[in-house]
Amino acid sequence: MGVGTTMKDRVLSGMQPSGMLHVGNWMGALENWVKMQDVFESYFMVADYHSLTTGYHDTRELPAKVLDMVVDWLAAGLDPDRSVIFRQSMVPEHAELHLLLSMITPLGWLERVPSYKEKLRELAQRDIHTYGFLGYPVLQSADIVLYRADKVPVGQDQVPHVELTREIVRRFNGLYGNVLVEPEAVLTESRVLPGVDGRKMSKSYGNTLNLGESQDSVTQKIRVMVTDPARIRRSDPGNPDVCPVFSLHKAFSDTETVQEIDRSCRQASIGCVDCKGLLSSAINLKLRPIRERRVTWESRPDKVEELLREGAKSARAVARQTLDEVKDAMHLATLQ
Ligand code: TRP
Ligand code: SF4
């Protein structure tokens, strides 16, 4: 897909390159992106500049993380023929627009963004008292407005960033004329999945089921999962409401199965071993098409690189045009 000539609404979203994704990432953002690419003109970006704001100390793993994540995107069904998939640092317009927007963004707006203070506290040991980290949402605004995106699918935590983008757009348009498009956040319904230890599924806990997990590995990880701690013997009735295996059933199994397990767990007519067997099958069934698509990409990093180069070309064509209009409106010099 090249420069948009359609009347479809345009979508842009991004993810920081965190390496291999887990099924929670998939059921949150990624599944939604895959659906959106059929309805909207879509741009999906690897936000590698953003990852520098908190991870500038050591960037050696960056290329591998980008590659692993993009392979997961493709395996999940993002399709380079239907959406523009690109890496932020291959489109220099992001950096240039970030500079221009930074000129008109009051410090107070940035210090007010909830994620700013939260992250400073959370990552206290990392020293992110930097100019770049404060500007994180300005960079995100640049990402969004470069493509004149109408819609930005994000989780709840990112909504203030889209709100800030709207404020910056209004300020820009007020100062220099109507050039930029105000985007709208489209909230991704977030379902927090438990990890295999019962805590929230998260890479930092090491309790994930990865999107690229093999069938055997899924089965093995589920087999040793924690269950209702009060259900000690097979004959004890269980309480699915406190069991992480059951929470995963709700995400992966069909409604009838979920109801059936709910009932038979409480009556002790199903044992945890069988219940887990059903869960592994349900997960493996869902992951099957993803595994099949993965085969095409996993062994071909050169193909992935090429696809990112193509994506960057399409992205740049759009981004350059917006940037030139922005510079024109600000009476700066453009290349054309
Ligand atoms: N900040 C987003 C996150 O951490 C990633 C991101 C970067 C993004 N640029 C974006 C999301 C533009 C939406 C639009 O999840
Ligand atoms: Fe959990 Fe299933 Fe065992 Fe009930 S039967 S406690 S839902 S694993």
Side-chain angles (χ1 to χ4, degrees):
M1 198 169 75
V3 181
T5 48
T6 60
M7 297 300 287
K8 286 183 188 172
D9 268 0
R10 203 177 271 173
V11 158
L12 174 126
S13 199
M15 251 184 233
Q16 291 192 34
S18 55
M20 288 190 291
L21 300 177
H22 59 67
V23 294
N25 303 130
W26 173 53
M27 289 206 152
L30 198 49
E31 216 177 10
N32 203 28
W33 289 9
V34 172
K35 284 186 202 136
M36 284 186 134
Q37 71 181 344
D38 289 323
V39 187
F40 303 109
E41 193 184 323
S42 308
Y43 291 78
F44 298 116
M45 180 188 79
V46 181
D48 57 348
Y49 281 157
H50 277 98
S51 71
L52 297 181
T53 61
T54 48
Y56 63 85
H57 320 72
D58 186 356
T59 58
R60 282 172 295 185
E61 298 293 315
L62 209 49
K65 283 182 173 175
V66 170
L67 182 68
D68 286 344
M69 185 170 78
V70 175
V71 166
D72 274 338
W73 285 7
L74 297 163
L78 277 196
D79 176 359
D81 292 328
R82 282 178 286 166
S83 42
V84 180
I85 299 170
F86 68 102
R87 181 174 174 180
Q88 191 179 29
S89 62
M90 290 172 82
V91 181
E93 284 75 9
H94 290 254
E96 197 173 346
L97 186 58
H98 170 253
L99 172 82
L100 298 178
L101 297 183
S102 78
M103 300 298 171
I104 66 162
T105 308
L107 278 177
W109 290 8
L110 297 176
E111 287 158 350
R112 263 207 318 266
V113 172
S115 62
Y116 179 62
K117 290 214 178 70
E118 274 165 33
K119 277 265 166 72
L120 278 187
R121 231 178 300 122
E122 230 174 82
L123 303 176
Q125 77 291 357
R126 274 209 218 166
D127 190 12
I128 49 172
H129 288 88
T130 59
Y131 177 46
F133 181 63
L134 180 66
Y136 184 111
V138 183
L139 181 56
Q140 188 162 349
S141 302
D143 300 338
I144 296 167
V145 302
L146 268 180
Y147 302 94
R148 302 170 190 280
D150 311 276
K151 294 187 160 56
V152 185
V154 282
Q156 185 68 49
D157 62 314
Q158 296 291 315
V159 172
H161 296 169
V162 181
E163 287 304 316
L164 182 84
T165 307
R166 294 163 66 93
E167 286 184 271
I168 294 176
V169 165
R170 286 198 288 270
R171 176 149 226 208
F172 185 96
N173 288 348
L175 289 167
Y176 309 109
N178 228 345
V179 175
L180 301 179
V181 173
E182 254 187 73
E184 191 190 331
V186 183
L187 208 59
T188 304
E189 201 191 312
S190 71
R191 168 159 31 189
V192 178
L193 294 187
V196 290
D197 60 359
R199 292 185 292 175
K200 173 181 186 282
M201 189 180 290
S202 162
K203 206 168 203 166
S204 51
Y205 292 152
N207 64 359
T208 61
L209 290 169
N210 293 333
L211 208 52
E213 204 89 49
S214 73
Q215 196 160 323
D216 288 348
S217 175
V218 167
T219 309
Q220 180 53 29
K221 283 187 175 182
I222 301 293
R223 189 181 293 141
V224 297
M225 250 185 102
V226 294
T227 61
D228 170 5
R231 190 172 189 202
I232 296 159
R233 281 176 300 262
R234 166 71 177 77
S235 54
D236 297 336
N239 178 6
D241 297 334
V242 300
C243 176
V245 173
F246 188 68
S247 303
L248 289 182
H249 265 300
K250 283 194 279 192
F252 288 97
S253 297
D254 58 67
T255 329
E256 274 165 44
T257 310
V258 172
Q259 285 169 353
E260 176 59 31
I261 289 168
D262 193 356
R263 203 171 32 240
S264 39
C265 172
R266 291 176 202 281
Q267 296 169 348
S269 57
I270 187 172
C272 295
V273 174
D274 290 339
C275 180
K276 288 173 164 184
L278 290 174
L279 178 61
S280 305
S281 309
I283 294 176
N284 281 325
L285 188 71
K286 278 255 167 87
L287 293 185
R288 201 159 81 193
I290 296 178
R291 287 195 190 109
E292 280 165 12
R293 272 189 299 263
R294 177 181 302 280
V295 174
T296 323
W297 299 105
E298 207 168 36
S299 54
R300 301 296 309 273
D302 54 321
K303 280 269 171 212
V304 180
E305 295 294 343
E306 186 186 315
L307 170 165
L308 288 175
R309 268 194 304 278
E310 286 302 313
K313 244 191 248 167
S314 305
R316 276 199 88 173
V318 179
R320 191 71 239 169
Q321 199 179 340
T322 307
L323 186 62
D324 280 343
E325 281 177 43
V326 164
K327 292 178 85 177
D328 231 16
M330 296 175 83
H331 307 291
L332 294 162
T334 57
L335 292 174
Q336 274 84 16

